[in-house]
Every structure is written in structure tokens, then in C-alpha cells.
Amino acid sequence: MNDDLTARRESILESVRQFADVSLAAREFVPGESTVPVSGKVLDADDMVALVDSSLDGWLTAGRWTTEFQDTLADYVGTRAASFVNSGSSANLVALSALTSPKLGKRQLKPGDEVITVAAGFPTTLNPIIQNGLMPVFVDVELGTYDAIGDQLREAVGPKTKAIMMAHTLGNPFDLDLVQELCKEHKLWLVEDSCDALGSTYRGQRTGSFGDTATVSFYPAHHITTGEGGVVFSKHPLVTRQVESFRDWGRDCYCETGQDDTCGKRFQWQLGDLPLGYDHKYTYSHIGYNLKGTDMQAALGLSQLRKLDFFVKRRKENFAYLYERLQGVEGLILPVATPNSDPAWFGFPITLADDLAVDREELMRHMETKKIGTRLIFAGNLLRQPAYRNIERRVVGDLRNSDTVMNRSFWLGVYPGLTESMIDYMADTLINYVTGKDGAR
């Protein structure tokens, strides 16, 4: 790049920084007037500069920013590879689909094979199981941790079981000791949905590094954001190749975008019924997708990743402060971290005890009238949802707690954009309602 273009670029980026410093400046919080979001992005001038800087390259698909983002993220989590995709939902789809590849030999997942998951979860943890013709096996969750009941996990393993695919609910790691034990004993794949748990640890090891494949989401609500976006982590080079293939149209070629002949024999392959020498760049070994992210998204992700440790720290501080405010309030079942874990909480889950005479929907409507954001614990019992009522499945137990989650649970925000005064207002509003002090009940 010549000196004139370099100077012009630097001038543009300095203007962007000045604009961002003003447009993103914090605003005064006024209880009852200002919104208390349940989640949200936290952007600064560095993020805006990264977005514009990458766009000035004019390379609009995956490129140098994507490569650096993938490598840096894999190092952070502590796994071999990270493959950037266009959403966390796509990440889940690719992470499981990759394990259906015939190139995995006897361990290939085939239609009818069983995959264990939980009933109280998010649809995109379940959907890839169904979309790949696999059989979901549902277990119930514990109240408090909202993770799988251990005894039911053991009971769920049968002769057709080939994988476990579960999420770390709201950032709280599931029992990885037990899950890894089951996977080792029964030779199961582990697909670790860590979309809500970037920065969480189990026995000091970061989530996303345990699974044969694992996923993270970068939707604006999550720990860092690329707008839309996600990543598939993988440990084994053979699995990584299948992840990239399913992400990139199902192609057999593994050249990076913009590169040719990485293998050194582009016109020497003979695969399937194709003629000898058919261009390897246009040879397809899977029925795949195009789920790549863009360099602009990756540039934002790199900028956000530099602040991740701070974001995780703030989430933990906000969680601890809200817990302190709500501890001892009768009728509220507060969240519990899984033993051996240190969650980077995505949200603060609460279940209303059966003997608390409070209607969950009325409470949430009340909070919303006070401009306090609330959310359900995703789909509740997935098998009660219209989309899943008639799917083929196997169920362990009666899913009683999943029904409780569906009817009596919700969560509040702890994301880094919340201040102590916001959390105080949120806690006071909730306490006054459930105790009847504000007359709302």
C-alpha cells in the first residue's frame, strides 16, 4: 500500500474512533425510565475501527482476519482448531453433521443412531440431531444447575447410542467428569454446545476444549459478538477436515479461500465416478452447506476477544452481586454452579418454588413494565413445543423438572453493560413483587 493510501486509511480510522467515542459513550441510568436489558453487546471505539479497517481491505469473505481470529480463539479455549461460521446455530449443525462423514469409518454417525441430549434446552442443540436423521434421547435437568441429571445420563446409554450433544446451560458447565467417563466407556462422540459458555471453566479447563467438536455463538447477546457468527472447535485433524467440508459446500478440497493447489495435486485426484484429474476444487465428498463467516465479522471478533477476560470478570461480578441481593428471599430457587466449575454466567436463572403464590408470566410482565428485561430458559420442555411434539425420540424418566422450567423459570441479565445501580433496581423490583410490598399482587 502506498504512502498516500496509508495516510488516507489512517485518517478514516481516526474519524471513526472519534465518532465512536461520542456515539458509544455511557448514558446516565434513570430507574424506571432507562431500560435494563437482559443481554446486549458491549462495543467500544476499537471495535468500530476494526470493522471499518477490515472493510477497507475490500476482501468481503473469509481472509486474513478470519485466519487470525480462528487461531487466536483456538489458543484461548485450548483446542486444536476453530472453524468460523455465520452463527452459533450453524456451528451446532456443522459440529454434528461432520460426525456423519463416511471418512470417519466405523465411528461415522448413521441414521437411526441415538444422541443423548436434555429436554430443557434451545432448539438448535436438538435440531441437528433430527436434521441428520439421528434419534434424540431426552433426559431431565436438575433445578438450580439446569444441567442433565447424572443418573438419567447413565440410564440413557443404550446399544444404539453413539453420541452426547448438550449445552452448558446459561454458561454453567455440565458434569464433564461423568460425561467424559460415559463417552470413554461406551466410545461415544461428545458434541459440546458451549454457545452460552465462552470463558467458563471446568476443573480449570475452558469449556469448548472437552468435546470432539464444540461450538460457540457470537450473537450480540453472547460473551463476545461478531454480529452474527459462531465457531466450531475440533480436536482431531480428520474431524476438522469434515467440519470445514460441511461448512464449505461439502467440498473435498481444503484450500483456504483465495488459495489453490494446497495439496500439490489439484489435477491428479480420482474420486467417486469422476474422471481422473477432475479439478479437486470442484469435487464434493459431502452434501454440505455454505456457512462461512466474513472477514469483517472476524475483525470485530478479534477486537472483542481482546476484552473477553474483562467481560467474563464483569459477568461473574454482576452474578455475585445479584445473588447476594436475592439470597434469602423465600420462594426463589437461585442458580447453583456445577461442582468443579467456574461459570462465566450468560444469565441469572431463577425458578419460582411451587409454594410461592406468584404467576411467572404476571411477574415477567411486571418486570417488563418497569423496563427490566427478562427471558425464559429457552424452549422450556422442548417436547411440549409444536415443532417437536411428534418427532421420533426416546425419553428417560418423566421430565418433571423440564416441565417446571417451562412453567416456573426465567432469567435476568448479568452482562457487562449492567451497572450496580441497574442490578439494585432489578433486584428491588423483583423482591418487592414476590413479597407483595409494591401492591402488585
Side-chain angles (χ1 to χ4, degrees):
M1 187 179 294
N2 63 43
D3 292 343
D4 180 57
L5 284 179
T6 298
R8 288 175 182 271
R9 188 172 190 138
E10 290 175 352
S11 176
I12 291 169
L13 298 181
E14 180 56 32
S15 295
V16 170
R17 183 173 297 280
Q18 292 174 9
F19 174 85
D21 284 339
V22 175
S23 65
L24 299 175
R27 290 168 173 76
E28 180 186 3
F29 173 66
V30 181
E33 296 182 16
S34 305
T35 300
V36 182
V38 72
S39 61
K41 59 189 181 297
V42 178
L43 301 176
D44 63 14
D46 289 341
D47 299 322
M48 303 303 287
V49 167
L51 278 168
V52 175
D53 193 17
S54 62
S55 70
L56 293 175
D57 283 357
W59 188 267
L60 303 182
T61 185
R64 66 183 180 98
W65 301 88
T66 299
T67 299
E68 184 179 356
F69 183 46
Q70 291 177 154
D71 291 346
T72 305
L73 193 60
D75 287 344
Y76 174 86
V77 168
T79 192
R80 179 184 292 269
S83 304
F84 190 42
V85 295
N86 61 1
S87 73
S89 301
S90 294
N92 279 348
L93 176 60
V94 170
L96 187 63
S97 297
L99 303 180
T100 68
S101 171
K103 297 194 176 190
L104 299 178
K106 293 181 180 179
R107 296 203 65 195
Q108 172 196 7
L109 294 180
K110 297 179 180 179
D113 286 345
E114 293 182 346
V115 181
I116 298 171
T117 192
V118 297
F122 196 75
T124 57
T125 311
L126 170 61
N127 290 349
I129 302 172
I130 300 168
Q131 290 161 337
N132 279 290
L134 306 168
M135 174 77 77
V137 179
F138 293 96
V139 301
D140 207 355
V141 297
E142 299 172 336
L143 298 180
T145 65
Y146 305 97
D147 290 320
I149 295 173
D151 288 343
Q152 291 195 6
L153 278 178
R154 290 188 181 90
E155 183 182 347
V157 179
K160 293 184 177 181
T161 306
K162 296 296 190 295
I164 296 174
M165 183 173 184
M166 297 192 303
H168 303 299
T169 307
L170 290 170
N172 191 23
F174 52 73
D175 185 346
L176 281 152
D177 284 349
L178 173 59
V179 169
Q180 288 184 110
E181 173 191 321
L182 292 174
C183 288
K184 182 177 180 180
E185 179 181 352
H186 299 282
K187 297 183 180 179
L188 310 178
W189 294 108
L190 173 57
V191 182
E192 182 191 0
D193 182 343
S194 193
C195 284
D196 293 346
L198 184 61
S200 295
T201 60
Y202 187 90
R203 293 194 184 276
Q205 181 178 335
R206 288 195 171 108
T207 56
S209 65
F210 292 88
D212 296 288
T213 57
T215 60
V216 166
S217 173
F218 303 128
Y219 190 71
H222 287 86
H223 291 63
I224 63 172
T225 187
T226 60
E228 299 285 355
V231 151
V232 181
F233 298 114
S234 45
K235 289 181 175 180
H236 313 293
L238 180 61
V239 172
T240 301
R241 284 282 303 278
Q242 312 325 311
V243 166
E244 293 172 346
S245 176
F246 274 93
R247 180 193 63 182
D248 301 354
W249 306 285
R251 66 178 185 163
D252 199 77
C253 174
Y254 49 86
C255 291
E256 296 288 346
T257 303
Q259 296 182 7
D260 296 325
D261 206 20
T262 302
C263 64
K265 52 179 186 176
R266 176 178 171 187
F267 298 105
Q268 299 174 41
W269 290 86
Q270 201 287 308
L271 297 172
D273 295 326
L274 294 170
L276 176 65
Y278 196 85
D279 190 348
H280 194 225
K281 286 180 69 69
Y282 292 94
T283 300
Y284 302 92
S285 51
H286 304 106
I287 299 173
Y289 311 91
N290 177 12
L291 301 175
K292 297 189 302 298
T294 69
D295 242 23
M296 289 178 287
Q297 292 173 298
L300 175 58
L302 267 171
S303 178
Q304 287 267 295
L305 190 54
R306 297 184 188 105
K307 297 180 278 283
L308 178 55
D309 287 341
F310 169 74
F311 290 161
V312 168
K313 178 174 178 289
R314 289 293 301 132
R315 283 181 176 274
K316 291 179 179 180
E317 290 171 348
N318 287 343
F319 180 93
Y321 186 66
L322 183 55
Y323 191 95
E324 180 184 346
R325 288 296 324 275
L326 298 179
Q327 192 172 22
V329 178
E330 290 189 14
L332 300 184
I333 300 173
L334 300 185
V336 179
T338 303
N340 307 311
S341 74
D342 184 12
W345 291 95
F346 180 59
F348 191 99
I350 298 171
T351 297
L352 305 178
D354 289 339
D355 58 359
L356 180 66
V358 170
D359 179 89
R360 198 255 324 262
E361 274 62 43
E362 289 182 2
L363 167 60
M364 292 178 66
R365 281 194 289 268
H366 176 73
M367 299 289 281
E368 296 287 343
T369 64
K370 301 295 185 179
K371 301 202 171 193
I372 299 169
T374 60
R375 291 290 185 273
L376 298 178
I377 299 184
F378 310 127
N381 183 345
L382 281 159
L383 292 179
R384 306 287 188 187
Q385 292 279 350
Y388 307 108
R389 290 182 64 191
N390 297 316
I391 62 168
E392 290 190 56
R393 75 287 189 123
R394 184 160 64 84
V395 178
V396 177
D398 58 11
L399 304 182
R400 181 181 309 171
N401 289 345
S402 296
D403 281 337
T404 297
V405 168
M406 179 179 63
N407 291 300
R408 302 286 286 174
S409 300
F410 66 103
W411 60 274
L412 300 172
V414 294
Y415 86 105
L418 298 181
T419 63
E420 191 171 292
S421 58
M422 291 177 178
I423 296 173
D424 277 329
Y425 174 64
M426 183 164 55
D428 289 340
T429 303
L430 175 61
I431 292 168
N432 288 341
Y433 188 88
V434 300
T435 60
K437 290 181 180 177
D438 63 2
R441 296 199 292 122

